[in-house]
């Protein structure tokens, strides 16, 4: 009986993780949609190709290094939230309030990720001239014209 219950709890855990990823993944989706090619790596390639001035290129690439460090920190914070929520399933005394706190933490993290994305993007915009900005951040639709 205990084995069957544990198996059922694991199944419920997987469902909750799946739903959580769908509901809480908004910030990472926004990040992917807002970058050329959907990644910092692709943005780095675009900057290397478009920006000709070596000093500005170096500064921009350093900014991307910081961006990647921030992204890693966000991933670690998200992993800690997920770990805490999963451990909660093993404790029968956890309440809905405990899980609401985890979702609240995830919401706050998503807000941090989105704000960080906007700040980094604005920093890049300030370091690129208008033509470089358009060339790097042009949508696929605009590029096809």
């Amino acid at each position: 009986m205990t084995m069957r219950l544990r198996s059922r709890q694991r199944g419920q855990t997987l469902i909750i993780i799946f739903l959580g990823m769908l509901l809480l993944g908004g910030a990472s989706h926004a990040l992917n949609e807002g970058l050329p090619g959907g990644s910092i790596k692709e943005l780095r390639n675009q900057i290397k190709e478009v920006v000709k001035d070596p000093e500005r290129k170096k500064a921009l690439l350093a900014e991307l290094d910081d961006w990647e460090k921030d992204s890693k920190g966000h991933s670690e914070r998200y992993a800690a939230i997920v770990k805490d929520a999963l451990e909660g399933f093993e404790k029968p005394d956890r309440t809905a309030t405990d899980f609401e706190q985890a979702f609240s933490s995830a919401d706050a993290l998503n807000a941090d990720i989105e704000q960080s994305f906007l700040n980094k993007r604005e920093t890049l915009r300030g370091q690129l001239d208008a033509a470089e900005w358009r060339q790097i951040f042009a949508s696929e639709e605009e590029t096809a014209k």
Side-chain angles (χ1 to χ4, degrees):
M1 178 87 173
T2 305
M3 184 64 109
R4 180 177 276 168
L5 182 59
R6 288 223 182 256
S7 176
R8 187 171 188 205
Q9 286 176 333
R10 286 194 178 112
Q12 291 170 344
T13 301
L14 290 174
I15 290 169
I16 289 172
I17 290 170
F18 176 71
L19 289 174
M21 289 173 66
L22 284 175
L23 296 173
L24 302 174
S28 62
H29 176 71
L31 174 66
N32 289 339
E33 290 298 312
L35 292 176
S39 71
I40 295 173
K41 180 181 178 183
E42 184 57 33
L43 179 57
R44 182 182 306 281
N45 292 338
Q46 290 278 348
I47 288 173
K48 285 178 180 177
E49 184 179 318
V50 171
V51 178
K52 303 303 180 204
D53 177 36
E55 290 301 313
R56 284 190 319 112
K57 186 184 299 189
K58 183 178 178 181
L60 287 160
L61 295 175
E63 194 66 42
L64 293 182
D65 291 340
D66 289 343
W67 198 338
E68 286 178 323
K69 288 176 191 170
D70 288 349
S71 294
K72 183 179 180 186
H74 290 138
S75 295
E76 290 168 356
R77 286 173 55 197
Y78 181 74
I81 291 168
V82 170
K83 181 182 177 200
D84 183 53
L86 289 176
E87 288 174 354
F89 284 106
E90 299 295 324
K91 300 175 185 173
D93 61 336
R94 292 286 295 256
T95 65
T97 304
D98 295 325
F99 292 103
E100 287 173 9
Q101 289 174 347
F103 282 114
S104 177
S105 295
D107 286 343
L109 176 57
N110 281 339
D112 287 350
I113 291 169
E114 289 172 1
Q115 188 60 54
S116 176
F117 170 76
L118 293 173
N119 292 344
K120 294 291 186 183
R121 187 172 160 117
E122 279 305 306
T123 299
L124 292 179
R125 187 175 192 123
Q127 295 178 12
L128 293 166
D129 65 35
E132 292 167 338
W133 177 263
R134 281 190 304 274
Q135 194 171 355
I136 292 170
F137 286 95
S139 71
E140 291 178 18
E141 224 174 73
E142 292 171 344
T143 308
K145 289 181 183 178

